[in-house]
Amino acid sequence: MAILDKETVKSPQRSRLGLSIDRGFLHVMVKDSIADAPLYAGFPLDMSVGSESKALEEIIYSNPILLSDFAGVDVTLRSADFILIPDEAADGGIEFCETLVNASVADGDSERLTTIESPIGRCGCTLLAKESRELVDFIRRTFNNPTIKHSLAVLADHFARNSALGSSGKMHVHLHDDSLDIAIFGENGLSLLNTFAYTDPMDAVYYIMATRSALDIEQTSGELFISGDPQLRNAVTPILREYLGYVMPMVLPAQVIRAGAPAMEAPFDLTLLMLCE
């Protein structure tokens, strides 16, 4: 894990800054345009200061190199409150999107929450997520024209660009230590995109099999690619192979392999966003 300062980040003007706020951590990646390997650092968010945005502020101002004039700034957030809508609906404007998401999630407090839009390429849909207004406002005040995306949209966009769509479908599963992201593609594009929390690897197997069943994907058809935590992959893959015809680890993009350890340490959505877009 790198130390981020003027010695390691020598040319912010030719570098991109990526931030991922997830599970009580701020993950930071800096990618110099002329280097294969990025810099990566992770910081725990101290929630005792009162809120996620205040904890983020503490870290940012304790690491002033993050306030440099970067060539671009990308941020991923991971709210559990989101919906998918057709791109045609997203074209209705932010007020219409706010109405849709407020009507669809349990907490539609417009004073405390705001909506972020994350289009998913090749899928004809946009992910709308409710996020802390205080957090989003701080990010937009602090950085020059940052792009803010939901982490699931980043994953789905990458999977879509690497999925040859067909009637049998293709399933991608990304495992975290406490949840799994599932994206399923069929002949008409994205069929399902969601995150499921679990405490036992067998719960992960259940969610994988249940989502396939809900979409009538045959056990012997449809490819299943697994990425994420290696220990969890090793736990669930043999079990899934007892029931499914094609279960394989996801092949990492060449850019990620070339980047080495920093890309492997960072959250997968941040790595994809910084190295593969």
Side-chain angles (χ1 to χ4, degrees):
M1 192 173 297
I3 296 173
L4 302 179
D5 56 24
K6 291 182 179 180
E7 293 300 315
T8 56
V9 184
K10 297 183 183 299
S11 301
Q13 295 81 4
R14 70 177 185 220
S15 303
R16 287 174 62 207
L17 172 66
L19 307 175
S20 173
I21 302 167
D22 185 17
R23 294 176 177 82
F25 265 78
L26 169 65
H27 303 273
V28 180
M29 186 175 283
V30 177
K31 178 64 173 67
D32 191 307
S33 61
I34 65 172
D36 282 337
L39 299 173
Y40 166 71
F43 305 88
L45 294 172
D46 180 8
M47 298 304 293
S48 68
V49 299
S51 69
E52 198 170 38
S53 63
K54 288 183 172 59
L56 176 62
E57 183 176 357
E58 290 277 331
I59 296 170
I60 297 298
Y61 287 105
S62 296
N63 295 271
I65 192 67
L66 300 178
L67 297 170
S68 301
D69 185 20
F70 287 94
V73 179
D74 296 284
V75 182
T76 68
L77 303 176
R78 196 179 178 84
S79 168
D81 295 326
F82 65 86
I83 61 172
L84 293 174
I85 64 171
D87 285 340
E88 293 82 0
D91 291 340
I94 186 60
E95 290 186 2
F96 183 59
C97 290
E98 290 270 4
T99 300
L100 288 176
V101 72
N102 285 341
S104 303
V105 301
D107 188 349
D109 184 352
S110 59
E111 294 299 319
R112 189 176 63 85
L113 301 174
T114 190
T115 299
I116 63 168
E117 300 179 50
S118 300
I120 302 174
R122 291 192 65 209
C123 294
C125 62
T126 295
L127 188 152
L128 302 179
K130 300 301 290 185
E131 294 285 357
S132 161
R133 183 180 298 276
E134 181 185 21
L135 176 63
V136 172
D137 286 349
F138 171 74
I139 292 169
R140 288 176 172 158
R141 286 196 314 268
T142 304
F143 301 103
N144 181 25
N145 197 27
T147 299
I148 304 175
K149 297 182 179 181
H150 194 282
S151 59
L152 265 185
V154 176
L155 291 176
D157 182 79
H158 176 77
F159 294 150
R161 284 187 278 118
N162 292 275
S163 293
L165 306 182
S167 59
S168 62
K170 181 175 286 189
M171 184 176 192
H172 293 268
V173 173
H174 186 71
L175 295 165
H176 308 273
D177 58 1
D178 60 356
S179 64
L180 69 160
D181 304 321
I182 296 179
I184 301 178
F185 299 88
E187 60 182 348
N188 297 316
L190 185 63
S191 302
L192 181 144
L193 179 65
N194 211 342
T195 296
F196 301 90
Y198 68 90
T199 56
D200 185 275
M202 284 305 299
D203 295 334
V205 173
Y206 167 79
Y207 285 121
I208 291 168
M209 299 300 293
T211 53
R212 292 175 68 88
S213 176
L215 295 176
D216 294 322
I217 301 175
E218 296 291 337
Q219 291 182 356
T220 55
S221 66
E223 301 168 332
L224 169 56
F225 295 93
I226 304 180
S227 57
D229 186 290
Q231 185 174 348
L232 291 169
R233 287 204 317 264
N234 293 336
V236 304
T237 297
I239 301 170
L240 290 167
R241 284 177 173 162
E242 294 180 14
Y243 303 100
L244 303 178
Y246 190 99
V247 181
M248 293 293 290
M250 193 192 82
V251 178
L252 291 175
Q255 305 96 306
V256 175
I257 296 173
R258 285 197 303 270
M264 305 301 178
E265 295 174 14
F268 194 45
D269 60 290
L270 182 60
T271 294
L272 293 176
L273 184 65
M274 296 297 291
L275 301 182
C276 301
E277 285 203 345

